[in-house]
Amino acid sequence: MFGTLSKLKTHLNDNHEVEYHLPVGEERLALNPLIGKTLTMTHTGNIFCSSCGKKTKKSYSQGHCYVCMTKLASCDMCIMKPETCHFDQGTCREPEWAMSNCFVPHYVYLSNTSGIKVGITRHSQIPTRWIDQGATQGLPIFKVSTRKMSGLIEIELAKFINDKTHWQAMLKGHNDDIDLVEQAAKLIPLIEDKLQTLASEHQDIEIERLDANIQAISYPITEFPTKVKSHNFDKVPEVTGTLQGIKGQYLIFDTGVINIRKFGSYEVEVQHG
C-alpha cells in the first residue's frame, strides 16, 4: 500500500473492543488481524497538506501546510482552548465552519486514561474521542449547546482533576476501573456555584446534566511496552517490527511506538507479513 497517512479509523464492536483501520491514501488496512505479525512503514520524505494537497516541508497542526494552518478555523488556538472563542468579536477565521462545528451540542465527560481526567468533545465524537486518547472508560456528564460553554465547564472541573492524558503511562498498561459515576457525584457539587453563574450569564445556552452509563473500552494488545520508545519519521524514515497492539492513536511494536495522528499527511509505503 502506498499513500499519505491519516489518523486511525476506529469502531467499537459489540464486545466493547476497538477495531482499527490504517488509512493509507484512499485505502484502509485492517490492523487487528495483523497483531503478532510484521508491519513496516517507510516514509518517502514527502508530506502533502491534508487540506490543500500541496507539498510541504513540514507538517503543522497534524497534517497541514503553514498557509492552511494560519487560515483554517480548525487550526486556531480556540480549538485547543474553547474558552478563548472569539466568534462574538467577529474575528472567526471561518464563521460558516464555526456554526457547524462549534455551535452544535458538545459533551463534557470524565474518562479513565492514565487516570481520571475531564475532557470535551462534539456530540458526534463519542466514543471516538475516548478511543483516540486511549481511555478504557468514558462517561458524559454534561451536554451543552456550544463548544465555548463546554470549555468553560471543563476549566472549572480541571481545578480538581487532570485535563490531560499522560500518554507514556497510558501505553504501559490499563488502569484499574474507576467508578466514574461516583466521581462525577463528588465533583459536580464542587462547581455548582460556577454552573449557576455560567447559566445566568449565558441564558441562551442550554446546560443539561446527564445521567448516563459508563462506556467500557478494550484494546487489541498482546503485550504492553515496559519502556516507551517513540518512532519518529522525521529522524528515521522506516518503522518496522512485530505489531503487539494498538491503543489510542498509537501502534505498539516490539521496537517502539508511533503516534499515527502525529504523522498525518506523511507519504508512506506500507508492507505487512
Side-chain angles (χ1 to χ4, degrees):
M1 299 176 67
F2 182 85
T4 53
L5 290 175
S6 300
K7 63 168 285 195
L8 297 173
K9 301 299 182 183
T10 60
H11 170 71
L12 197 61
N13 66 26
D14 293 339
N15 296 320
H16 309 300
E17 183 176 76
V18 185
E19 297 178 0
Y20 281 97
H21 286 80
L22 175 67
V24 183
E26 298 299 318
E27 298 183 82
R28 292 189 181 186
L29 177 64
L31 291 175
N32 293 51
L34 297 182
I35 292 176
K37 299 180 181 179
T38 300
L39 179 65
T40 301
M41 296 184 292
T42 306
H43 176 39
T44 65
N46 295 327
I47 307 171
F48 297 95
C49 176
S50 60
S51 180
C52 70
K54 292 182 179 179
K55 188 175 180 180
T56 175
K57 292 183 178 180
K58 184 178 178 180
S59 171
Y60 299 87
S61 295
Q62 299 172 340
H64 296 83
C65 67
Y66 180 78
V67 172
C68 288
M69 185 269 290
T70 58
K71 74 178 184 181
L72 293 176
S74 59
C75 297
D76 203 347
M77 181 56 68
C78 53
I79 296 301
M80 297 296 294
K81 297 182 177 181
E83 69 278 6
T84 64
C85 172
H86 46 95
F87 185 93
D88 292 343
Q89 301 171 29
T91 54
C92 180
R93 296 178 182 181
E94 296 177 278
E96 290 186 9
W97 183 91
M99 291 305 298
S100 59
N101 287 273
C102 302
F103 291 87
V104 295
H106 276 68
Y107 288 102
V108 181
Y109 64 81
L110 300 181
S111 63
N112 183 4
T113 56
S114 54
I116 187 172
K117 73 175 288 290
V118 60
I120 66 170
T121 191
R122 275 180 294 152
H123 64 104
S124 60
Q125 292 300 300
I126 286 180
T128 302
R129 176 58 181 154
W130 299 335
I131 295 171
D132 285 350
Q133 65 184 20
T136 53
Q137 296 173 287
L139 176 73
I141 57 175
F142 290 103
K143 182 180 180 181
V144 298
S145 51
T146 69
R147 183 174 182 84
K148 181 177 181 179
M149 178 56 73
S150 69
L152 291 171
I153 295 175
E154 180 187 31
I155 285 176
E156 296 307 314
L157 288 167
K159 294 175 181 178
F160 304 99
I161 58 172
N162 286 330
D163 60 352
K164 293 180 174 60
T165 297
H166 299 289
W167 63 272
Q168 295 98 331
M170 179 271 290
L171 289 173
K172 287 184 177 180
H174 294 322
N175 287 335
D176 292 336
D177 285 348
I178 298 172
D179 189 336
L180 297 178
V181 173
E182 180 182 347
Q183 291 299 314
K186 294 178 180 178
L187 287 165
I188 292 174
L190 300 177
I191 65 166
E192 194 66 54
D193 291 345
K194 186 60 179 181
L195 287 173
Q196 292 182 11
T197 300
L198 288 173
S200 63
E201 291 176 347
H202 305 272
Q203 295 184 14
D204 57 328
I205 298 176
E206 183 180 357
I207 303 174
E208 179 184 354
R209 202 170 299 187
L210 302 175
D211 183 18
N213 295 320
I214 299 172
Q215 173 67 64
I217 303 170
S218 63
Y219 297 87
I221 300 171
T222 57
E223 188 174 346
F224 288 100
T226 54
K227 184 178 180 180
V228 178
K229 172 189 174 184
S230 293
H231 289 297
N232 187 333
F233 281 134
D234 294 325
K235 296 179 179 179
V236 180
E238 183 177 279
V239 173
T240 187
T242 300
L243 184 63
Q244 295 180 323
I246 316 162
K247 193 177 184 187
Q249 283 287 314
Y250 287 86
L251 302 186
I252 302 171
F253 293 89
D254 59 343
T255 57
V257 305
I258 184 167
N259 182 352
I260 294 298
R261 191 167 195 171
K262 179 179 179 180
F263 297 104
S265 298
Y266 279 57
E267 186 181 62
V268 297
E269 180 181 359
V270 179
Q271 297 175 311
H272 58 87

